Amino acid sequence: MSYEEIVKKYPYPGKRHRHHISASIYLPITQLKVLPRNYPPALEKVEWSELFSNGVPPKFLDIGTGKGKFLIEMAFRYPEKNILGFEIKRTTAEWLQNIISTEGIPNAYVLWYNVLNGLEFIYPETIEKIFYLFPDPWPKARHSKRRVLTLETLNEFHRLLIQGGRIYISTDIVEIHRYHIELLESLSNKFYLKEIETSSDWDLPKTNKQVSCERRKKAYFLILAEKLGETNKSNNSF
C-alpha cells in the first residue's frame, strides 16, 4: 500500500496543515525564560525497545518529518533499518505516529521533539544517514536562531554519523541553500560537500514539498555532505 493510500484513512486534524506554529517553540530551552504551552518535552534517554519492534537503535534520522511521506516510504524501502523522525509540531507528530502504530510499521517512529535541545540520547557513530529536507526556512537574519541547522547541530551530526555517513539537505529557498553551503564549508575538515544536480545522485523518496515544487515548476536545491574520517580526508566516495 502506498503512502497516499494509507493517509486517506487518517484525516489530518484541523482544516489544514499549518507550516509555522508559535515562534518560541523553535527555540532551545536554554533560550527561554518561560516554557510556552505545547513545547516539546526535553529528552535525556530513549528506550529503543519502546520505539522499534526489534529494540535496536535507528540507522536513519529524519529531522522535521512534516506529514511523513518521506519517512514512511523510507521505512518501506529499507525494512531492515530503523528510521527515527523528529517533528516539532505536536499535532503533526501525534497524527503521524498514530498512522505508524495503527498500520504496524515496525521500523519507523516519530518523536515530538525540538532537535536544538540536543541528541545526546543517541550513541556516537551509529547513524548512517541524516535527512534534513525542506525545513521551516526562517529566511530573515533576525530569525536565524530558530533554524535547526547550525554549527552546533552539524557538529552533533558529525558525532552521530559513522565514518562516511551522510547528511542529505534540501530547500527551495536560495538564501537558505547558500546558508547551508556556508555552514558546511566552515567545517570542511569534517564534511565533504557536494551540490546535487542529477536525480541519479539523489536516490531517495520524494517529500511532500518536493512533489509540490515539481508540480509548480519551482526550483529547489540539494546537498550531500559526507563525514570525513582520518582515512578519507583527501578522498571521498561521491
Side-chain angles (χ1 to χ4, degrees), residues 30-109:
T30 54
Q31 295 183 18
L32 295 172
K33 294 181 179 179
V34 178
L35 205 63
R37 289 184 59 196
N38 269 352
Y39 190 87
L43 297 173
E44 296 181 357
K45 185 178 180 180
V46 170
E47 296 292 340
W48 302 118
S49 60
E50 296 178 3
L51 274 57
F52 303 111
S53 64
N54 62 7
V56 302
K59 292 298 183 183
F60 301 156
L61 302 181
D62 184 14
I63 311 296
T65 64
K67 297 180 77 173
K69 173 178 168 63
F70 176 83
L71 179 110
I72 289 176
E73 292 187 357
M74 279 293 289
F76 289 162
R77 182 180 292 192
Y78 297 96
E80 76 286 0
K81 309 270 191 183
N82 289 343
I83 179 167
L84 179 62
F86 299 96
E87 176 53 50
I88 202 167
K89 306 174 186 72
R90 182 173 187 173
T91 298
T92 305
E94 292 178 348
W95 171 79
L96 182 54
Q97 183 52 40
N98 176 58
I99 293 174
I100 290 169
S101 298
T102 305
E103 293 294 320
I105 304 173
N107 62 323
Y109 199 93

Side-chain angles (χ1 to χ4, degrees), residues 6-215:
I6 289 172
V7 297
K8 283 181 181 178
K9 299 187 289 182
Y10 302 88
Y12 187 82
K15 293 184 178 180
R16 63 189 181 96
H17 174 61
R18 296 180 62 87
H19 189 58
H20 289 299
I21 54 176
S22 174
S24 58
I25 298 294
Y26 286 83
L27 297 174
I29 286 178
T30 54
Q31 295 183 18
L32 295 172
K33 294 181 179 179
V34 178
L35 205 63
R37 289 184 59 196
N38 269 352
Y39 190 87
L43 297 173
E44 296 181 357
K45 185 178 180 180
V46 170
E47 296 292 340
W48 302 118
S49 60
E50 296 178 3
L51 274 57
F52 303 111
S53 64
N54 62 7
V56 302
K59 292 298 183 183
F60 301 156
L61 302 181
D62 184 14
I63 311 296
T65 64
K67 297 180 77 173
K69 173 178 168 63
F70 176 83
L71 179 110
I72 289 176
E73 292 187 357
M74 279 293 289
F76 289 162
R77 182 180 292 192
Y78 297 96
E80 76 286 0
K81 309 270 191 183
N82 289 343
I83 179 167
L84 179 62
F86 299 96
E87 176 53 50
I88 202 167
K89 306 174 186 72
R90 182 173 187 173
T91 298
T92 305
E94 292 178 348
W95 171 79
L96 182 54
Q97 183 52 40
N98 176 58
I99 293 174
I100 290 169
S101 298
T102 305
E103 293 294 320
I105 304 173
N107 62 323
Y109 199 93
V110 178
L111 288 174
W112 175 42
Y113 187 64
N114 183 341
V115 173
L116 289 178
N117 288 322
L119 296 168
E120 290 82 4
F121 49 86
I122 300 177
Y123 290 123
E125 298 185 354
T126 58
I127 302 300
E128 297 176 3
K129 301 178 190 296
I130 297 174
F131 306 102
Y132 183 64
L133 308 176
F134 297 98
D136 291 335
W138 299 108
K140 296 181 180 178
R142 67 177 184 273
H143 296 154
S144 61
K145 61 185 177 181
R146 301 187 180 105
R147 298 172 188 166
V148 170
L149 206 67
T150 64
L151 288 177
E152 290 77 14
T153 51
L154 278 175
N155 278 308
E156 182 73 340
F157 291 169
H158 186 272
R159 180 185 73 86
L160 298 179
L161 287 167
I162 63 173
Q163 183 172 318
R166 294 179 172 185
I167 309 172
Y168 295 74
I169 303 170
S170 61
T171 181
D172 61 333
I173 309 293
V174 65
E175 292 82 6
I176 299 302
H177 177 58
R178 291 171 181 155
Y179 165 78
H180 292 160
I181 290 174
E182 288 174 6
L183 283 178
L184 286 162
E185 286 180 340
S186 70
L187 295 175
S188 59
N189 63 324
K190 293 185 175 183
F191 294 102
Y192 175 79
L193 162 68
K194 181 179 181 180
E195 294 183 67
I196 301 301
E197 296 181 356
T198 62
S199 58
S200 61
D201 291 328
W202 192 265
D203 183 24
L204 296 175
K206 294 180 180 181
T207 68
N208 298 90
K209 181 68 173 181
Q210 186 177 351
V211 171
S212 173
C213 285
E214 291 178 355
R215 185 178 63 247

